[in-house]
């Protein structure tokens, strides 16, 4: 049986980020021994994907960043563009393969993290710690005993919530026959798409070169679409809206991100905790997760170094979660028109302030000022209704 101070289950963004932080030396502090368990290649591993986030200046993962941008553009449903320079912020995109390669190299060099490729079958609490039983792809058993366990695996089902929408998307990595994209600008939210009966849809374009980009169709709605429906929506967006005529699809990505006001349990045993999306790192109103993962894992690593109980904090304040619950209900119930709501925000509020708001970096008076630029009466009605809504299990996508 392997023994370690810390065991981390899952080597996605959350698991790798926590392992990376714990592998770094800290003055006067002993680095803990860490075991990182990752599922063998197959259905339990997440597909390749991209993560986007914004930060000021250089960041710890810049070596893995594919592209950065300082100009973001939104198109209103009627077609008018709204463009902002978000300096000093930078909007950054990381491919999961590049992130895994960067972190894997650092972990190997540190010599403090043992990696095991096996499927976790059980996690059992012990008097001081927990035991993990797993099995390799060849069928060999693996067991790990650790003082602290951090589980980043996706939940089998969502906790009960008053409102749950799904942010579901399908994207094409396209290569065109001639320069058609502006690599300095992101189409952050293009609301010229056909809007669903309930929720919101928009296009999203991340150009990496004048002839290459990731083009996505995204919906906030209760249910996902069929593969044919996503392709139809993307054909309409690339052809009718963007006017692309000659292009090749070199790769695709598809995802579903719950947008929910559910309460995520971040502790499942005396020494067992959840981190990442399973631990509430996703911002309910936007679906952005990477920045929340960094805040959460930084707090866990700091607690371990200081000898404190490493309960993962919620990366989002109670005020932010309360405002998100109101917005989700307003969108789900039809109290506000989603496309008009977001177009109004981007028209009336500086983009940098909105991005700080979405990251939970604004003060109460700034939040109040942003609220005054939304449809006030429908949002007040949504706020009055939310506390009376029952929490129900989500049936699943």
């Amino acid at each position: 049986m392997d023994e370690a101070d810390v065991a981390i289950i899952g080597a996605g963004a959350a698991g790798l980020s926590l392992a990376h932080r714990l592998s770094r030396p800290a003055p006067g502090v002993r680095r803990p021994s860490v075991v990182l368990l990752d599922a063998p290649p197959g259905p339990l591993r997440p597909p390749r994907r991209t993560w986007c986030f914004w930060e000021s200046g250089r960041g710890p993962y810049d070596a893995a960043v594919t592209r950065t941008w300082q100009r973001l553009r939104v198109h209103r449903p009627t077609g008018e563009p709204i463009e902002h320079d978000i300096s000093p912020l930078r909007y950054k995109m990381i491919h999961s393969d590049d992130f895994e390669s960067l972190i894997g190299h650092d972990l190997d060099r540190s010599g403090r993290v043992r990696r095991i490729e096996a499927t976790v079958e059980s996690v059992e609490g012990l008097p001081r710690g927990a035991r993990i039983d797993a099995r390799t792809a060849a069928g060999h058993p693996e067991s790990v005993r650790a003082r602290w366990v951090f589980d980043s695996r996706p939940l089998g089902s969502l906790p009960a919530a008053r409102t749950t929408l799904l942010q579901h998307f399908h994207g094409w990595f396209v290569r065109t026959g001639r320069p058609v994209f502006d690599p300095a600008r992101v189409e952050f939210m293009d609301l010229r798409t056909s809007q669903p009966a309930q929720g919101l849809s928009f296009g999203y374009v991340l150009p990496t070169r004048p002839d290459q980009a990731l083009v996505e169709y995204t919906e906030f709605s209760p249910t996902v679409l069929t593969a044919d429906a996503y392709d139809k929506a993307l054909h309409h967006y690339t052809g009718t809206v963007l006017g692309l005529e000659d292009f090749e699809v070199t790769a695709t990505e598809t995802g579903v991100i719950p947008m929910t006001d559910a309460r995520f349990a971040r502790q499942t045993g005396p020494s067992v905790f959840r981190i990442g999306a399973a631990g509430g790192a996703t911002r309910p109103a936007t679906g952005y997760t990477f920045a929340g993962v960094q805040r959460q894992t930084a707090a866990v690593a700091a607690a371990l170094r200081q000898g404190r109980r490493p309960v993962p904090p919620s990366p989002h304040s109670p005020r932010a979660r309360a405002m998100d619950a109101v917005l989700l209900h307003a969108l789900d119930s039809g109290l506000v028109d989603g496309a008009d709501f977001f177009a109004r925000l981007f028209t009336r509020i500086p983009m940098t302030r909105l991005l700080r708001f979405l990251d939970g970096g604004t003060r109460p008076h700034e939040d109040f000022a942003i609220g005054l630029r939304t449809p006030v009466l429908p949002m007040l009605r949504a706020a009055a209704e939310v506390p009376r809504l029952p929490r129900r299990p989500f049936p699943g996508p």
Side-chain angles (χ1 to χ4, degrees), residues 9-348:
I9 303 174
L16 286 173
S17 296
L18 180 56
H20 190 232
R21 293 180 186 279
L22 295 178
S23 71
R24 296 173 180 172
V29 178
R30 181 186 72 87
R31 279 185 288 178
S33 57
V34 179
V35 171
L36 176 62
L37 297 105
D38 192 17
L44 294 181
R45 277 201 183 178
R48 295 175 180 176
R49 57 223 180 274
T50 58
W51 297 308
C52 289
F53 59 100
W54 49 88
E55 63 184 350
S56 179
R58 292 191 54 80
Y61 307 119
D62 277 2
V65 168
T66 304
R67 183 85 193 188
T68 70
W69 300 269
Q70 281 185 278
R71 289 163 52 204
L72 305 186
R73 185 165 71 177
V74 173
H75 273 96
R76 301 180 67 176
T78 48
E80 299 91 341
I82 308 158
E83 188 166 328
H84 297 265
D85 185 315
I86 62 169
S87 300
L89 300 176
R90 304 283 294 188
Y91 192 70
K92 301 183 178 184
M93 177 176 74
I94 292 182
H95 288 292
S96 59
D97 285 355
D98 296 331
F99 182 78
E100 291 163 10
S101 177
L102 174 70
I103 301 303
H105 177 268
D106 285 354
L107 295 184
D108 291 342
R109 189 172 55 184
S110 77
R112 299 295 300 175
V113 178
R114 170 166 155 72
R115 302 190 69 164
I116 297 175
E117 194 173 89
T119 300
V120 171
E121 296 179 335
S122 65
V123 180
E124 177 188 357
L126 300 174
R128 278 186 57 81
R131 170 181 171 139
I132 302 170
D133 288 316
R135 194 166 298 276
T136 68
H140 301 303
E142 290 273 3
S143 294
V144 177
R145 177 172 179 156
R147 177 65 184 93
W148 306 109
V149 174
F150 298 91
D151 192 346
S152 67
R153 292 173 297 174
L155 298 176
S157 60
L158 291 173
R162 292 169 297 202
T163 307
T164 298
L165 293 174
L166 301 176
Q167 179 179 151
H168 50 104
F169 55 89
H170 184 62
W172 290 342
F173 292 87
V174 302
R175 180 185 294 120
T176 60
R178 57 187 179 83
V180 296
F181 301 111
D182 180 353
R185 178 179 63 212
V186 169
E187 295 290 348
F188 189 66
M189 184 175 269
D190 192 338
L191 298 163
R192 293 176 292 176
T193 53
S194 299
Q195 296 300 316
Q198 184 178 5
L200 167 74
S201 78
F202 57 92
Y204 180 58
V205 183
L206 294 173
T208 53
R209 288 176 34 176
D211 62 343
Q212 293 182 26
L214 168 60
V215 182
E216 287 191 347
Y217 173 81
T218 300
E219 277 195 16
F220 298 173
S221 59
T223 56
V224 300
L225 306 180
T226 64
D228 286 344
Y230 286 120
D231 283 340
K232 182 179 178 182
L234 270 170
H235 278 295
H236 174 265
Y237 182 58
T238 54
T240 304
V241 178
L242 297 181
L244 302 183
E245 297 175 351
D246 177 24
F247 64 89
E248 171 192 6
V249 177
T250 61
T252 64
E253 76 167 17
T254 302
V256 181
I257 302 171
M259 304 172 67
T260 175
D261 66 356
R263 297 168 181 153
F264 287 82
R266 296 186 299 280
Q267 183 168 357
T268 59
S271 299
V272 183
F273 308 98
R274 288 192 182 127
I275 56 172
T282 301
R283 179 73 193 257
T286 67
Y288 281 97
T289 304
F290 192 82
V293 161
Q294 301 313 314
R295 289 193 292 271
Q296 191 178 64
T297 55
V300 168
L304 286 168
R305 290 194 185 101
Q306 295 162 13
R308 295 185 286 109
R309 188 171 184 78
V311 180
S314 172
H316 313 293
S317 70
R319 188 173 79 250
R321 297 197 303 272
M323 290 186 294
D324 287 358
V326 172
L327 175 57
L328 290 175
H329 174 56
L331 288 173
D332 184 53
S333 63
L335 285 171
V336 298
D337 176 275
D340 176 72
F341 178 89
F342 284 100
R344 182 192 295 237
L345 282 184
F346 288 112
T347 301
R348 300 181 177 186

Side-chain angles (χ1 to χ4, degrees), residues 158 374 381:
L158 291 173
T374 66
R381 178 178 169 184

